[in-house]
Amino acid sequence: PDAQTPQPAKTLTPVYLQKDNLSTGKLRNLIEQVFKKIQTLADTGVETEVLPQPILDKYAFPSWIQSLISVHFPTDQSSLPSLQEQTHPGQLRLAFEELLVQQIRLLRHRKRIRQCRAPVIPAAPHLHKPFLQALPFSLTRAQQQTYAEIAADLAKAQPMLRLLQGDVGSGKTVVAAMALLAVIAQDQQCAFMAPTEVLAEQHFSNLSAWLAPLHIVPLFLSASLPPKTKQQRLQAIADGEAKLVIGTHALFQQKVRFKQLGLLIIDEQQRFGVKQRQALAAKATHADHMPHQLTMTATP
């Protein structure tokens, strides 16, 4: 062929979604540079494989570098259908590795939590009985069973990490109210967080009405409060005067300090980030102590 005739590329040209001001061409160049450095490390004997050989053999996975090549620099036209269907061995291997790392992180996090201590919260019949009698309805058998499981967790010295799932209107909040009453009975504080101010106000209204016969007054906290009011409520939380604090994202802000946080309740937990939930849980009094956590959702 003529010297002026463009030669066909050795690999297919990857097209990446543009991110911010980073064009697909620039992103492609950066990925090529990173891959060349990885390849150089591998050529000099640096170990780049993270999966053990038995796993690679069992699932017929290619090596890590080969997987990257197949995804970013595919050369075989016949592999396009499997790449488009995300069934290519390289894609499967990278997905497997990502899930494996996630599971390891979860196991490490669970191990760390089990090493922490939480306040032991026994049953509180002196609060539960009048609370249930004052309600305009009776708990269903499912609600009673659910709370019995929560109570068993609260009675342990290990932090509870429980998800309460149920359809909208199924009565999750009243079950959570039973749990927070047991915590308050032990002179501990409870934080009840909702993703929006409207939902937080709804919880505040319901719980205020339910707890009024017990002379328990919730405290509401949101970013929209006047500065003076907010400061007064922050002080009540820090002093331990406020036993039940209901609010929005404002609850995990740095200025919020709990004296003795025993239970964290998060409604619509999927609408909060992991770090946001951890920031609120970290407000326990001591570094080696964690509050019990109850997350609620209507989303399966």
Side-chain angles (χ1 to χ4, degrees):
D2 188 277
Q4 300 297 323
T5 303
Q7 298 299 309
K10 294 181 179 180
T11 65
L12 298 175
T13 302
V15 177
Y16 302 98
L17 293 176
Q18 184 170 341
K19 185 174 178 61
D20 299 329
N21 295 324
L22 198 60
S23 66
T24 183
K26 188 171 183 179
L27 183 58
R28 186 188 304 128
N29 291 333
L30 290 173
I31 291 175
E32 289 177 355
Q33 292 176 31
V34 170
F35 182 78
K36 287 178 181 178
K37 291 184 178 181
I38 293 173
Q39 188 67 64
T40 299
L41 290 175
D43 293 342
T44 57
V46 177
E47 182 59 58
T48 58
E49 184 58 67
V50 296
L51 295 181
Q53 192 61 44
I55 294 294
L56 297 176
D57 295 339
K58 179 178 180 179
Y59 298 105
F61 284 155
S63 69
W64 182 60
I65 290 181
Q66 290 172 334
S67 298
L68 291 178
I69 292 175
S70 67
V71 171
H72 292 283
F73 314 104
T75 57
D76 186 359
Q77 289 282 357
S78 64
S79 67
L80 280 179
S82 62
L83 286 170
Q84 292 173 336
E85 295 171 5
Q86 298 186 358
T87 59
H88 190 281
Q91 291 173 311
L92 295 177
R93 177 251 150 82
L94 294 174
F96 178 92
E97 183 179 323
E98 185 175 339
L99 290 172
L100 177 63
V101 170
Q102 183 185 41
Q103 288 299 311
I104 292 174
R105 286 178 176 173
L106 288 173
L107 289 172
R108 286 180 175 176
H109 180 62
R110 182 177 296 178
K111 182 178 179 181
R112 183 182 66 83
I113 290 177
R114 287 178 175 175
Q115 293 173 342
C116 294
R117 309 296 290 174
V120 175
I121 307 297
H126 64 291
L127 289 182
H128 286 154
K129 186 175 181 179
F131 171 73
L132 293 174
Q133 289 175 341
L135 288 177
F137 53 86
S138 300
L139 296 188
T140 65
R141 181 174 299 180
Q143 288 172 319
Q144 294 173 3
Q145 177 61 34
T146 299
Y147 176 68
E149 295 175 4
I150 293 173
D153 284 348
L154 291 175
K156 299 175 183 177
Q158 290 182 340
M160 175 182 70
L161 290 174
R162 182 172 285 272
L163 172 66
L164 178 57
Q165 190 270 324
D167 294 336
V168 175
S170 61
K172 298 186 295 294
T173 304
V174 73
V175 174
M178 294 281 287
L180 65 86
L181 279 174
V183 171
I184 292 175
Q186 295 302 308
D187 201 29
Q188 299 277 328
Q189 292 171 289
C190 174
F192 196 129
M193 186 166 68
T196 66
E197 191 158 335
V198 171
L199 186 55
E201 288 177 345
Q202 180 181 336
H203 284 309
F204 178 77
S205 177
N206 289 336
L207 288 168
S208 294
W210 292 345
L211 301 177
L214 302 176
H215 306 292
I216 297 175
V217 181
L219 182 146
F220 185 77
L221 186 68
S222 73
S224 63
L225 291 173
K228 184 176 181 180
T229 302
K230 184 185 295 184
Q231 185 56 43
Q232 291 173 342
R233 297 186 181 183
L234 288 174
Q235 190 62 51
I237 297 171
D239 292 343
E241 177 185 343
K243 297 302 181 186
L244 172 58
V245 184
I246 303 172
T248 58
H249 297 73
L251 287 181
F252 58 75
Q253 299 304 312
Q254 188 175 2
K255 292 182 179 180
V256 181
R257 291 284 182 270
F258 287 86
K259 182 178 181 180
Q260 201 76 23
L261 182 59
L263 175 63
L264 167 59
I265 301 174
I266 302 177
D267 193 16
E268 296 296 330
Q269 60 89 23
Q270 75 279 0
R271 297 177 63 178
F272 292 98
V274 174
K275 291 186 177 180
Q276 291 176 327
R277 298 197 298 267
Q278 290 177 344
L280 186 51
K283 293 182 179 294
T285 306
H286 305 292
D288 59 342
H289 280 64
M290 288 186 64
H292 296 288
Q293 296 183 54
L294 177 64
T295 57
M296 305 192 301
T297 182
T299 304

